[in-house]
Amino acid sequence: MCGIIGYIGKKNVVPILIEGLKKLEYRGYDSAGIAVVDDGPILRRRAKGKISVLEDVLKQDEVKGNYGIGHTRWATHGRPSEENAHPHQDCTGDIVIVHNGIIEKYMDLKTQLSFEGHKFQTETDTEVIAHLIEKYFQENLEEAVRQAMEHLEGEFAVAVISSRDRDKIVLVKQGPPVIVGLGENEYFISSDVNPLLLYTKDVVFLNDGEMAVIEREGVTYSDFSGKLLKKKIDHINWNPLMIEKSGFKHFMLKEIFEQPRVIRDTLKGRISMDKGKVLLGEIGLPPERIKSIRRVVILACGTSFNASLVGKYFIEEIAGIPVDVEYASEYRYRNFILDKNSLVVAVSQSGETADTLAALRALKVKKPLTLAVCNVESSSIARETAGLLMTHAGPEIGVAATKTFSAQMTALMLLALYLGQINESMDKDTGLSYIKELQRIPTKIESILSQTEGLEKLAKKFISASHFLYLGRWANYPIALEGALKLKEISYIHAEGYPSGEMKHGPIALIDDNMPTMAIAPKDRIYEKIMSNISEIKARSGYVIAVAYEDDKEIEAKVDAVIRIPAILPLLSPFLTTVPLQLFAYYIAAARGADVDQPRNLAKSVTVE
Ligand code: M6R
C-alpha cells in the first residue's frame, strides 16, 4: 500500500524515480510525487492520478538533481488530491518525506504541533512526521528522525531528505517493507525489489525498529536507539524481464498465461516419482512435530483466502486433518483456541498483508507450529513463521491475483500430500495418482489457454451485465468465490460466489433473466447435485454458463453455454476451472475499457489494517 522510491548517486534522479514509481504503481495509484535535490532547495512535483499525470507535470515544469525520493499513494487519511500527495514537507520546505503506512493518534500530535506554531497544509497523517522532525532538527537529520520516532505510533516506512543536512536519505521502518538497493557508487531505496532489478540484485531488507542513513559513500544501519547494526546483503534472483508485459496487452493476461510455468516451478524438486513421494524437508518443520498435528488453521485474505479454502479440501481429503480457514482480519480479534498440536498456516502472496501478519503475531502466544505459504522469501510473514513453503510464481504485477492463486493451490496440494505421507493417512497408490495428475496439470492448462477465442466471444456478450452469480460445490465452491472476486475487482460488475447447494436457501430469489449464472460443473462426486441446482435456475428463466469437462456431452442441452476444460481427477479440478473464470473476468473488463491491471480503489499489497 503506497510505494516509496529513492536514489542517491551520480545520475539524474528524475527518470530513476519515475521508472521506479511505475514499477511500484500497483501498490497504489491515486496520486504521486517526487522531491529532488540539486544545488539549491528541495524541489517537489506532485500530481493527482497516476504516474503518467506526474510525468506530464514534469514535462511542463522540469526538475533535476542527483538524489531524491518519490511516492505513489493509496489514500488512507485525506482524499486523493495534489495537496495530499507525497512528498510532504515541514513549515520551511527544508525537510521532505515520503511515508507508507498509518500514523496512529496523529490528530493528537497535529494538535500539539499546531499549538507550538507548526503550519499544516494537508489532511494527511504523514505531515505530522515532517513537522516532528523539524521540531527536533538541529544539525543532523538522522538524530532528528530518531527523536521524532520516539513520538510515533503505528506502521510506517519513511524516507526523509533535508536541504539543511544534504546528500543523504534517512530511511526508517516500523511495519511496511522497505529495502536498500546497493549499486556501484549509487544506492536505491524501494518498497519492493521490482524497481531495483534493472540496477542491482544486492539488497538489504530493513527490519522493524531499524534505520538506514544512505549517503554517497555508503550506508550506515542502526536501530532506533542509535546502536549500529551489521546487516546481511541478500541477492535477488528475479530478472527484469519478469516484470515486463512481454507483448501481452495487460500484466493480468500475461500472468494468466504464465500459470503452467508457475505450477511446474512450484512442483520442481518437490516430487519424487521413484519414491512416489512429496519432498518438503525444505520447509524446515521437524517431521515429528508434523506427525503430531491434529488441526490446521489457515489465515489469509482475499484471493489467498480462496486458495486456502481449496487447500482445506486438499488437506482434509488427503491427510484427514480438520482444517479451518479464517479471514485474518477477523481471526486476529478472536479467542484463539490453539495448542501445540495445531499448525497455523499463513497464506499470502506478498507476505506483507497487515491483517495476516497481525493475526499471526497475535496468536503466537499460544505457541502453535507456524508455516508461511508465500511468494516473497524476504517478506515479513515468511520471516516470522517457523516454516516456509515458497510459491515460485515470480513477481505478480496485476493487482488481481491470478498466477499466485494457482501457485498457492499447488503449494497447498503439496502440503496436503506431505502431511498425508507423514501421518500415514494416505496409501502409496493414492499418493502416486495425485502426484502424476499434478504433473499433468500444466499441459491441461496449456490446452485451455490455446483456445480462448470462444471464451472471449462469450465474455463480450456480458459487458453490460450488472450482476453475476457464481456457483460451485465441494472443492469448486472456493473457485466460485474466486471467479466472482475476479469479476468484481476488475470489471466492477457485482458478482456473488455461492455454494450451489445453498441457492435454495435464499439467493434463488435473485434469479431472473437479468441474473446470469456461472455454474462450475466438473464430473465429480456431486455432479448430479450440481445439475439439479442448474435445473432449478433454468426453471426460473436464468441464463446458465457451465464450466464442464470436454467429455461431458449431456450438459450441452441443459445450459445456455458451456466452457470446456480437460477431464482431471475431481479433487484437482480447481486448477482447471479457475483458468476460464480468470479469462472470463479479464475479457469482460478489457472490453468494458476498465483499467485491468490497476482497478480503482485497490492496491496489490494491503499493508494497512
Ligand atoms: O498478498 P496477499 O496474498 O496477502 O494479499 C491478499 C489480498 O489482498 C489479495 O489476494 C487481494 O484480494 C487481490 N486483489 C486479489 O486479486
Side-chain angles (χ1 to χ4, degrees):
M1 215 127 239
C2 298
I4 288 180
I5 189 84
Y7 170 82
I8 183 161
K10 293 197 173 98
K11 296 178 188 143
N12 180 9
V13 65
V14 176
I16 295 173
L17 295 181
I18 293 297
E19 283 315 305
L21 287 178
K22 284 183 185 166
K23 301 267 184 304
L24 293 174
E25 200 169 20
Y26 72 87
R27 300 178 69 88
Y29 31 81
D30 57 46
S31 56
I34 60 169
V36 306
V37 195
D38 203 359
D39 295 331
I42 300 175
L43 301 170
R44 278 193 307 166
R45 296 292 180 267
R46 300 177 297 162
K48 179 180 171 196
K50 296 198 164 198
I51 315 295
S52 53
V53 185
L54 178 64
E55 284 185 289
D56 291 340
V57 168
L58 285 162
K59 274 182 206 144
Q60 306 295 321
D61 197 2
E62 217 182 317
V63 287
K64 67 175 179 23
N66 51 28
Y67 76 102
I69 52 180
H71 187 272
T72 181
R73 180 170 186 243
W74 186 86
T76 57
H77 296 76
R79 75 211 131 84
S81 64
E82 184 184 332
E83 173 190 82
N84 288 330
H86 298 220
H88 292 298
Q89 62 184 25
D90 68 338
C91 296
T92 59
D94 289 343
I95 294 167
V96 173
I97 72 162
V98 288
H99 163 222
N100 175 19
I102 287 181
I103 303 301
E104 282 165 17
K105 301 186 195 142
Y106 78 99
M107 279 310 287
D108 295 350
L109 285 168
K110 190 168 177 173
T111 309
Q112 175 63 29
L113 286 160
S114 302
F115 177 73
E116 290 168 14
H118 291 265
K119 297 275 176 276
F120 282 79
Q121 292 159 358
T122 78
E123 302 161 317
T124 66
D125 53 339
T126 301
E127 198 185 346
V128 296
I129 309 173
H131 291 281
L132 258 185
I133 298 171
E134 178 185 17
K135 174 174 169 175
Y136 292 110
F137 190 93
Q138 286 183 335
E139 284 172 0
N140 178 287
L141 183 60
E142 55 269 35
E143 275 316 314
V145 173
R146 203 166 269 133
Q147 287 185 52
M149 288 307 112
E150 288 172 19
H151 302 273
L152 292 181
E153 282 178 44
E155 304 269 294
F156 45 84
V158 181
V160 192
I161 53 175
S162 170
S163 55
R164 289 157 69 192
D165 187 8
R166 304 177 80 89
D167 294 310
K168 65 170 70 155
I169 303 173
V170 177
L171 185 64
V172 289
K173 175 184 185 306
Q174 183 60 47
V178 75
I179 302 162
V180 180
L182 312 172
E184 282 207 9
N185 301 318
E186 58 182 3
Y187 299 94
F188 305 81
I189 62 163
S190 175
S191 294
D192 72 30
V193 295
N194 293 347
L196 309 181
L197 297 176
L198 280 176
Y199 309 101
T200 178
K201 293 200 171 161
D202 292 331
V203 299
V204 172
F205 293 90
L206 288 199
N207 293 322
D208 285 353
E210 291 182 355
M211 173 187 265
V213 180
I214 301 134
E215 294 172 281
R216 295 182 191 285
E217 304 74 36
V219 187
T220 314
Y221 304 95
S222 62
D223 65 16
F224 286 178
S225 72
K227 185 172 148 239
L228 291 178
L229 300 171
K230 201 165 162 37
K231 295 285 293 175
K232 174 170 143 275
I233 298 175
D234 280 292
H235 191 75
I236 304 299
N237 54 17
W238 287 356
N239 76 56
L241 271 184
M242 286 169 141
I243 52 169
E244 298 304 330
K245 282 190 203 150
S246 313
F248 285 92
K249 193 169 171 208
H250 293 101
F251 279 110
M252 182 180 175
L253 191 58
K254 177 193 169 215
E255 287 159 1
I256 291 172
F257 273 77
E258 273 184 76
Q259 290 177 112
R261 194 270 305 154
V262 162
I263 294 172
R264 285 190 184 103
D265 283 357
T266 304
L267 292 177
K268 204 183 284 169
R270 291 166 165 175
I271 281 175
S272 160
M273 290 309 281
D274 300 347
K275 296 188 180 136
K277 281 191 163 179
V278 161
L279 313 170
L280 277 192
E282 63 174 278
I283 65 176
L285 298 181
E288 60 284 4
R289 283 292 306 271
I290 294 182
K291 202 165 182 158
S292 69
I293 291 167
R294 299 284 172 268
R295 183 170 170 233
V296 176
V297 174
I298 310 185
L299 304 175
C301 303
T303 287
S304 296
F305 176 89
N306 296 337
S308 303
L309 265 187
V310 180
K312 171 185 169 77
Y313 289 87
F314 291 166
I315 296 170
E316 290 187 345
E317 196 74 21
I318 292 173
I321 302 172
V323 181
D324 296 311
V325 182
E326 306 283 356
Y327 285 116
S329 54
E330 284 295 315
Y331 196 68
R332 59 183 292 192
Y333 296 111
R334 295 243 303 269
N335 176 20
F336 313 123
I337 302 163
L338 295 166
D339 60 26
K340 61 178 178 20
N341 295 328
S342 309
L343 172 68
V344 173
V345 185
V347 177
S348 173
Q349 181 282 127
S350 61
E352 299 295 347
T353 298
D355 288 319
T356 313
L357 186 57
L360 188 66
R361 284 176 178 165
L363 60 74
K364 275 190 177 165
V365 289
K366 299 277 175 168
K367 301 199 177 0
L369 197 57
T370 56
L371 173 73
V373 172
C374 197
N375 200 39
V376 183
E377 199 170 351
S378 52
S379 64
S380 306
I381 290 173
R383 283 182 288 149
E384 292 195 23
T385 45
L388 172 62
L389 174 51
M390 282 293 293
T391 52
H392 294 301
E396 187 174 65
I397 309 297
V399 164
T402 52
K403 64 173 179 173
T404 53
F405 179 71
S406 289
Q408 288 169 341
M409 288 196 295
T410 310
L412 288 165
M413 183 63 192
L414 287 171
L415 180 65
L417 290 164
Y418 190 57
L419 294 173
Q421 234 167 251
I422 291 186
N423 73 13
E424 294 167 11
S425 61
M426 178 190 59
D427 66 72
K428 201 174 164 200
D429 288 346
T430 313
L432 202 56
S433 63
Y434 281 124
I435 288 174
K436 282 187 180 155
E437 191 72 316
L438 260 180
Q439 288 191 311
R440 288 191 283 258
I441 289 173
T443 314
K444 292 185 186 213
I445 295 180
E446 273 155 4
S447 108
I448 299 173
L449 294 173
S450 68
Q451 35 197 340
T452 57
E453 300 80 13
L455 187 52
E456 183 170 4
K457 226 162 132 191
L458 178 67
K460 284 181 173 164
K461 286 190 189 167
F462 294 95
I463 57 169
S464 306
S466 308
H467 306 279
F468 236 102
L469 200 58
Y470 282 70
L471 298 181
R473 283 189 93 146
W474 191 55
N476 277 295
Y477 157 53
I479 303 305
L481 297 179
E482 178 58 11
L485 177 61
K486 286 288 89 82
L487 189 68
K488 275 185 271 211
E489 66 183 337
I490 61 168
S491 75
Y492 318 137
I493 294 173
H494 167 241
E496 295 230 27
Y498 232 81
S500 337
E502 272 293 299
M503 272 289 289
K504 55 189 175 297
H505 298 290
I508 199 160
L510 293 168
I511 299 295
D512 62 14
D513 50 7
N514 289 318
M515 174 64 92
T517 298
M518 179 73 77
I520 308 169
K523 281 225 166 174
D524 55 18
R525 59 168 78 142
I526 40 158
Y527 176 75
E528 292 308 329
K529 309 278 180 201
I530 298 168
M531 295 317 288
S532 303
N533 300 140
I534 289 176
S535 303
E536 288 155 13
I537 299 169
K538 286 306 304 165
R540 288 161 181 84
S541 306
Y543 187 99
V544 178
I545 306 169
V547 180
Y549 287 168
E550 276 156 1
D551 58 3
D552 179 356
K553 300 296 171 214
E554 56 187 297
I555 202 163
E556 207 97 20
K558 297 184 178 157
V559 298
D560 299 281
V562 187
I563 299 171
R564 296 291 181 182
I565 55 166
I568 183 168
L569 278 182
L571 184 63
L572 300 186
S573 61
F575 284 98
L576 304 190
T577 52
T578 192
V579 177
L581 300 195
Q582 294 167 342
L583 285 166
F584 188 75
Y586 170 80
Y587 289 129
I588 291 185
R592 283 163 71 102
D595 193 344
V596 174
D597 286 333
Q598 292 171 348
R600 69 184 180 207
N601 305 336
L602 293 177
K604 179 94 188 143
S605 180
V606 185
T607 54
V608 295
E609 235 196 293

